[in-house]
Each structure stands twice: as structure tokens, then as C-alpha cells.
Amino acid sequence: MAEKLISLDHDVIMGTRNVAATLERKLSDNSRGPTFGEWHSINEKVNLMTFKNAVGEGELLINALNGAAVIPVIQSCNRSDFDNKILMDIANPLDFSHGFPPSLLPGLHNTNSLGEEIQKALPNAKVVKTLNTMWCGVMVNPAMINNGAHQNYICGNDKEAKEKVTGLLASFGWNKDYILDLGDITNARGTESTLLIWTRIYGSKGSGAFNMKIVE
Amino acid sequence: MAEKLISLDHDVIMGTRNVAATLERKLSDNSRGPTFGEWHSINEKVNLMTFKNAVGEGELLINALNGAAVIPVIQSCNRSDFDNKILMDIANPLDFSHGFPPSLLPGLHNTNSLGEEIQKALPNAKVVKTLNTMWCGVMVNPAMINNGAHQNYICGNDKEAKEKVTGLLASFGWNKDYILDLGDITNARGTESTLLIWTRIYGSKGSGAFNMKIVE
């Protein structure tokens, strides 16, 4: 996401708990790719800050955290720094504590969702849930699958915020005809729940380079 | 489902709590179509029996009940009548008590599922979950959508039972390449959870005549 935004000439800030510790980390996040420091050395334009400072400086905020970390990170920031800002939420409340495939975190599924909890924690932010139903590679490069003809969803309580996020998605290559507006943020219950089938398909295929297309 | 099976020359028994009351019902099930009696008068080959007798007589059982009714209906039957039989489960644990879109019934989602509860209640039956991710019209006539090129899933603990059900699906027009075997019955957590997005897409489109295709 950061690389894509840099390639589109945005100024990008990334938040972390401890800047020095993140840069010195010896293990990569997914045990395959580069360490954060190695990645950052070839993506120097990304400005690394604490979560608190990143939220303070940021204009449009993107939540791409581990689902379980989201509320604690919000609590480490100044709440007023979120006021009136768009918070594009692409995270999922995945619970890997019982192995693969994951379930969704207790209390954050079926009659609730991570998107809703974020909106409740930050009533003056404009939470827009999108992109969370697919692999990160597809999020920022929809054309890699079926010439971009596959489904994304968007939901949130603020119509104008959804329009602005849709504009950002269009700059990634998303055709607006494939971004279905489901309505308010409670519809995150629908999109987050797709991870329960997505992870099983992923487990079967051994690759995340797929997405769903609605056919009629 | 009954009409399709009759059209394929199967003997079809349908179960109900009270045969006479079902035939005399004055309201249709969905407040649009015919009453059961009207439907039955033009589908006379369908043999209506109590659930208990239907399960006793049936060779291959199909669960197409309201999700909340399934365990009570099983309890009204002789458990041994299910032994060694295939139980094709196409139901979903939908909870409309808080309106539309529905949630999934408490305790039957995320770390559990209706399919698993049925298998636990009937350890000697061979529960095979399939078709529950789409509208009933598409279940029995996959060719109505995108020439049949869209996704179905199958899961269950018995490999041979899944093969037999796949054969039945093929007789409905399903291409085996679009029936993804997810593994054991715990994977019903994945397929049942898709109702949380399915019902929202249905609400947006106003029609159930769609399905998902995996594109790569």
C-alpha cells in the first residue's frame, strides 16, 4: 500500500509503536520477505513515525494493522487527531490463535465488526471500509486479476468520504462499476465475514492472487 | 429442489411436522407464491410425510429447513434412521429476528456452524454441506447464470459421500470444476458465513439470480 501510494506521488507516513525498534528488526514480518529496515532502505520516501505522530500528521488515514492491534493503537493516539479525517479501514479481525484457517476475533463478527468498533471508538472520524476482501497484491493492482473485472465493496456512514476513497481506489486502477456501496459501516459485518471463506480458498489454492466476481 | 428431483425421475418424499395442516395451509411460505396445497396439486408425485417417516423412508436425505428448525426436527425423528445415510445439508443458520439483513444464529457461526451441529447430532450420518451459498433457483439450474461458470463448495467428513453428492450436482448441471472441496465439515463455517455478504448483495440488487465466480 505504501509503495503504491509513493508511486502515485503521495507523501506517505507509516506508523509504528517504536521507530528505532522497527528499523532494527532482524526478522521480516512474514518470515519470507525483507526486514522492515531492508524494505525501507529502498523505499526511503516513506516517513516512519510513531502511530501518534503519524495520525497527527496524516490527512487521509489508512488502517492496515493486525486486527487485534487496532483498538490499542487508537488508544495510544490523540483521539482529536482523527477528527473529521477519513480513516480507510482495510484490516480484518483475524484470530490465528487456533491455527489456520483463522476465525474472526471474539465479539467482532456476525452482529458486530472491526469497522464498527473503530467508528465507535472514533465517532468524529469518517471510517470507510474497503479492500478487506482480497489479498494485498490485488488491492493495489486490480488489473493483475481478470483485467480488473472482480468485486470490491465499500461501506461507511459518510457519503462524501466514500466518494473520496472511491477516487483513491480509481487511481489504483479500480473500475467504479466493481465497487459496490453496501451502505453504512454495519455492512463491514458482511465484508469481514468473507475472510472465513477467503482463507479456506487460499488454503486450497496456495495463492492469494484471486478474487470474487459477481456473475448474473 | 423437489421439482428438480422429480424432473430427473427420482422418487421424492418431502417431510413436514403435520401433513394435513401443511396441505390445508392458507398462506404461502413466502407470501408471494402458491400455498403448499396449490403447489402440491401440480406436483402430485411428491410424497408428503411427517419428518420422522420421511427420514425413515429416505435413501439420500436433503436438509432444506429453516436453520433454526433443524435440530428440533432431528430430535423428532428416530436417530437410527439417519445411520449410514448421506444428509446433503443446503440450509443456513439465518437469524431474521433483528430484521434484514439477517445475522447468523447465536452459537452457529465463526467457530461453529449448522453443518457441524448436524454432524454432532447425527454421528452416524454422512453430512455433506453444499449449495448453501446461493439462491435456490441457481442451486438446481446453474446454467441460468454465466453458462454455469460460477462457484459452489462442498465439505464433509466422508469422501465417498461427497463424491455421490457431486454426482447428484452434476445431474443438476454443475460442472465439477466449479465444486471446490474444502475438506471436512468444519469448513461449513466458511460457506455459511458467506450469507452475511450474500444477503447484503441481494439487498442491493433486489434479486437472488447471481453467484460468485473465483477469478485468477
Side-chain angles (χ1 to χ4, degrees):
Chain A
M1 184 64 64
E3 287 180 27
K4 183 70 175 189
L5 291 165
I6 288 285
S7 79
L8 294 169
D9 279 333
H10 294 285
D11 294 325
V12 178
I13 301 167
M14 203 181 268
T16 187
R17 281 166 296 182
N18 182 316
V19 171
T22 297
L23 287 169
E24 288 161 15
R25 227 182 262 165
K26 296 284 181 264
L27 291 172
S28 70
D29 286 344
N30 60 11
S31 68
R32 286 190 303 273
T35 65
F36 185 87
E38 288 164 349
W39 177 85
H40 192 245
S41 70
I42 53 172
N43 290 279
E44 292 178 326
K45 288 185 178 174
V46 174
N47 199 341
L48 193 65
M49 296 185 184
T50 62
F51 288 119
K52 185 176 179 176
N53 289 342
V55 169
E57 297 284 329
E59 293 172 17
L60 185 151
L61 309 176
I62 299 177
N63 172 32
L65 290 164
N66 179 315
V70 180
I71 299 300
V73 165
I74 288 174
Q75 288 166 342
S76 77
C77 299
N78 289 325
R79 302 295 176 97
S80 61
D81 284 340
F82 292 92
D83 287 359
N84 304 311
K85 290 182 185 171
I86 291 171
L87 174 48
M88 182 169 113
D89 173 29
I90 66 171
N92 282 305
L94 297 177
D95 181 354
F96 286 95
S97 64
H98 301 288
F100 187 91
S103 52
L104 300 180
L105 289 167
L108 292 180
H109 53 87
N110 196 34
T111 54
N112 194 16
S113 62
L114 179 61
E116 287 167 270
E117 283 298 306
I118 295 170
Q119 185 64 81
K120 281 180 229 163
L122 301 167
N124 297 324
K126 298 167 183 174
V127 179
V128 177
K129 188 104 202 177
T130 191
L131 292 180
N132 64 304
T133 55
M134 70 197 76
W135 179 56
C136 54
V138 179
M139 293 180 186
V140 296
N141 186 15
M144 76 180 285
I145 301 287
N146 204 40
N147 295 314
H150 48 85
Q151 198 61 43
N152 185 17
Y153 305 95
I154 195 166
C155 64
N157 300 342
D158 190 285
K159 189 162 178 285
E160 198 185 327
K162 286 191 281 192
E163 283 167 7
K164 284 190 178 161
V165 168
T166 299
L168 182 63
L169 296 175
S171 76
F172 294 173
W174 281 96
N175 181 322
K176 293 177 187 182
D177 292 342
Y178 289 105
I179 307 173
L180 182 61
D181 186 348
L182 294 170
D184 69 25
I185 193 65
T186 65
N187 292 291
R189 300 172 194 180
T191 64
E192 294 175 10
S193 73
T194 68
L195 270 289
L196 296 173
I197 191 73
W198 190 94
T199 49
R200 286 172 168 86
I201 299 168
Y202 170 78
S204 168
K205 292 191 178 293
S207 163
F210 68 88
N211 198 9
M212 297 292 188
K213 185 183 178 197
I214 298 173
V215 291
E216 294 175 90
Chain B
M1 186 63 65
E3 287 179 26
K4 184 69 174 190
L5 291 166
I6 288 286
S7 79
L8 294 169
D9 280 333
H10 293 285
D11 294 325
V12 178
I13 301 168
M14 204 181 266
T16 187
R17 281 167 295 183
N18 182 317
V19 171
T22 297
L23 287 170
E24 288 161 14
R25 229 181 260 164
K26 297 282 183 262
L27 292 172
S28 70
D29 287 345
N30 61 12
S31 70
R32 287 191 302 273
T35 64
F36 186 86
E38 288 164 349
W39 177 84
H40 192 245
S41 69
I42 52 173
N43 290 280
E44 290 179 327
K45 287 185 179 173
V46 174
N47 199 341
L48 192 67
M49 295 185 186
T50 61
F51 287 119
K52 185 175 180 176
N53 289 341
V55 169
E57 297 284 328
E59 292 172 18
L60 186 151
L61 309 175
I62 298 177
N63 172 33
L65 291 163
N66 179 315
V70 179
I71 299 300
V73 165
I74 288 173
Q75 288 167 342
S76 77
C77 299
N78 289 324
R79 302 296 176 96
S80 62
D81 283 341
F82 292 91
D83 286 359
N84 303 310
K85 290 181 184 171
I86 291 171
L87 174 48
M88 182 169 113
D89 174 27
I90 66 172
N92 282 304
L94 297 177
D95 181 354
F96 286 96
S97 64
H98 301 288
F100 187 90
S103 53
L104 300 179
L105 288 168
L108 292 181
H109 53 89
N110 196 34
T111 54
N112 195 15
S113 62
L114 179 61
E116 286 168 271
E117 283 298 307
I118 296 170
Q119 186 64 81
K120 281 180 228 161
L122 301 167
N124 296 324
K126 297 166 182 174
V127 179
V128 177
K129 189 105 202 178
T130 191
L131 292 179
N132 63 304
T133 55
M134 69 197 75
W135 179 56
C136 54
V138 179
M139 293 181 186
V140 295
N141 186 13
M144 75 181 286
I145 301 287
N146 204 41
N147 294 315
H150 48 85
Q151 198 61 42
N152 185 18
Y153 305 94
I154 195 165
C155 64
N157 299 341
D158 190 286
K159 190 162 179 281
E160 197 186 327
K162 287 191 280 192
E163 283 167 7
K164 283 191 179 161
V165 169
T166 299
L168 182 65
L169 296 175
S171 76
F172 295 174
W174 281 97
N175 182 324
K176 293 177 188 183
D177 291 344
Y178 289 106
I179 307 174
L180 182 60
D181 186 347
L182 295 170
D184 69 26
I185 193 65
T186 64
N187 292 291
R189 300 173 195 181
T191 65
E192 294 175 10
S193 73
T194 67
L195 270 289
L196 295 173
I197 191 72
W198 190 94
T199 50
R200 287 171 167 87
I201 299 169
Y202 170 78
S204 169
K205 292 191 177 293
S207 163
F210 67 87
N211 198 9
M212 298 291 190
K213 184 184 178 196
I214 299 174
V215 290
E216 295 175 89

Coordinates of all heavy atoms in Angstrom, one line a residue, chain A residues 9 24 69 195 212:
Chain A
D9 N 2.8 9.4 -6.2 CA 3.3 10.7 -5.8 C 2.6 11.3 -4.5 O 2.6 12.5 -4.3 CB 3.2 11.8 -6.9 CG 4.4 11.6 -7.9 OD1 5.5 11.2 -7.4 OD2 4.2 12.0 -9.1
E24 N 15.3 -1.6 13.3 CA 16.4 -2.5 13.7 C 15.9 -4.0 13.7 O 16.7 -4.9 14.0 CB 17.0 -2.2 15.1 CG 17.8 -0.9 15.1 CD 18.0 -0.3 16.5 OE1 17.7 -1.0 17.4 OE2 18.4 0.9 16.5
A69 N -4.7 -5.4 16.9 CA -3.9 -4.3 17.4 C -4.6 -2.9 17.3 O -4.2 -1.9 17.8 CB -2.6 -4.2 16.6
L195 N -13.8 -13.3 5.0 CA -12.4 -13.9 5.3 C -12.5 -15.3 5.7 O -11.6 -16.1 5.5 CB -11.7 -13.1 6.4 CG -10.9 -11.9 5.9 CD1 -9.6 -12.5 5.2 CD2 -11.6 -11.0 5.0
M212 N -13.2 -12.6 -6.1 CA -14.5 -13.0 -6.5 C -15.1 -12.0 -7.5 O -14.9 -10.8 -7.3 CB -15.4 -12.9 -5.2 CG -15.1 -13.9 -4.2 SD -15.3 -15.6 -4.7 CE -15.0 -16.5 -3.2

